[in-house]
Amino acid sequence: MMQTKSPTELLKRKLAKLSTKDVLDVQAFVADLVSQQATDVALERRSADTKTCLHCGEAKLQRWGRSKAGTQRFKCENCKATFGATTGTPFYRLRNRHLWSRYLRLMGHHIALWRLRDEHGLPLSIPTLHRWRHRFLSRLTTNPERRLAGLIEADEKFFRTSFKGSRGWNRKDPPQLRRARRRGNTGVRGLGEQQAPTLTAMDRSGAICQTRLSDMKWPTIEAIMAPWIEPESVICSDGNLAYERVAQQTGCEHITAKVKWKNTAAGNAKGLSIGRIDAYHRDVENLINRRCMGVATRYLMNYFGWARRITQHQPFGNDLLAELLGA
């Protein structure tokens, strides 16, 4: 009796007869199908875990049909508001859900937007791809909940203020009282409104806290950095006295790391430096100023969050998709 071949075996035989171009088309189709299923599973899991209203917090919910994309919706009996699995997430009212997972997977490598469109099978416009990027990156700017502990390196980094994409100068309403510049330096020496200061602190476990500073005054740095630090830690920084004040406020030891090793200060005697944080800042600067050819200052911390996730080797793709849906 002849044994009937399984549908999988028949499909494999048919695929073996296809040309290279057709096989690549099938591969792209299957990748989109897998991404779509992964997205649907993540959305269904979030719907199943929904127990309280996202607006008022009450637990009196009733199922309220499904959206056009097939996502379960709920209605709160208390506040009468309706919501779905994507409410309160970066995916709210975002279309082309079969491309979400692929886009997030490609974010593990910085790829130009036009390459995403032309070479990586994301048939969306450049403005849409740009909007997606910052929707997702805006959720990566949150600092870790646990405090930094042990040996902590802290330093500031300055980036020139940029209004990339602004039409203010063309509309006779410039965002800064200066001439528009295409590329190059600020043309002004020292700190000022044309420099955007940022603060970064990291410990030896790899945890990183970072933020943009409104100014470089000691009270500003103290107020921002003190909640990051676990007591009885060691803060290693440059000669900025604000870090010494932070150490006193949090009950930590402060060591000044000298640049030249011929000095015999306490920091050099213990062999401590801020080389790790300097290397991290070089990676951020390379991403912002070279690979992205400058970014608008309002997006600065989005790229800091992007660089932190890459530096910490955290996953992208479906793992990031589930993380953003659970945020």
Side-chain angles (χ1 to χ4, degrees), residues 195-294:
Q195 296 283 350
T198 62
L199 174 65
T200 305
M202 61 169 37
D203 59 18
R204 291 303 170 93
S205 69
I208 301 174
C209 292
Q210 52 198 9
T211 187
R212 182 183 168 190
L213 297 173
S214 58
D215 54 63
M216 287 296 298
K217 296 179 180 179
W218 292 355
T220 302
I221 297 179
E222 289 181 54
I224 291 177
M225 190 174 173
W228 296 351
I229 307 300
E230 189 73 22
E232 300 182 0
S233 301
V234 178
I235 300 177
C236 185
S237 68
D238 56 13
N240 193 334
L241 295 181
Y243 301 117
E244 185 174 348
R245 294 164 64 102
V246 171
Q248 295 174 356
Q249 183 178 350
T250 57
C252 300
E253 179 184 358
H254 177 258
I255 295 177
T256 301
K258 299 296 182 180
V259 178
K260 296 182 180 179
W261 284 93
K262 64 181 182 180
N263 294 332
T264 58
N268 290 339
K270 296 186 178 182
L272 299 180
S273 68
I274 53 175
R276 291 164 58 90
I277 203 168
D278 285 343
Y280 175 70
H281 279 160
R282 283 194 297 269
D283 292 340
V284 176
E285 186 178 18
N286 181 63
L287 173 65
I288 292 176
N289 292 339
R290 294 173 180 84
R291 301 177 70 177
C292 296
M293 294 184 291

Side-chain angles (χ1 to χ4, degrees), residues 32 99 102 106 115-124:
D32 286 344
L99 300 176
R102 188 197 302 182
L106 293 172
R115 290 186 182 276
L116 291 176
R117 181 194 61 188
D118 299 339
E119 300 178 5
H120 294 274
L122 292 174
L124 303 173

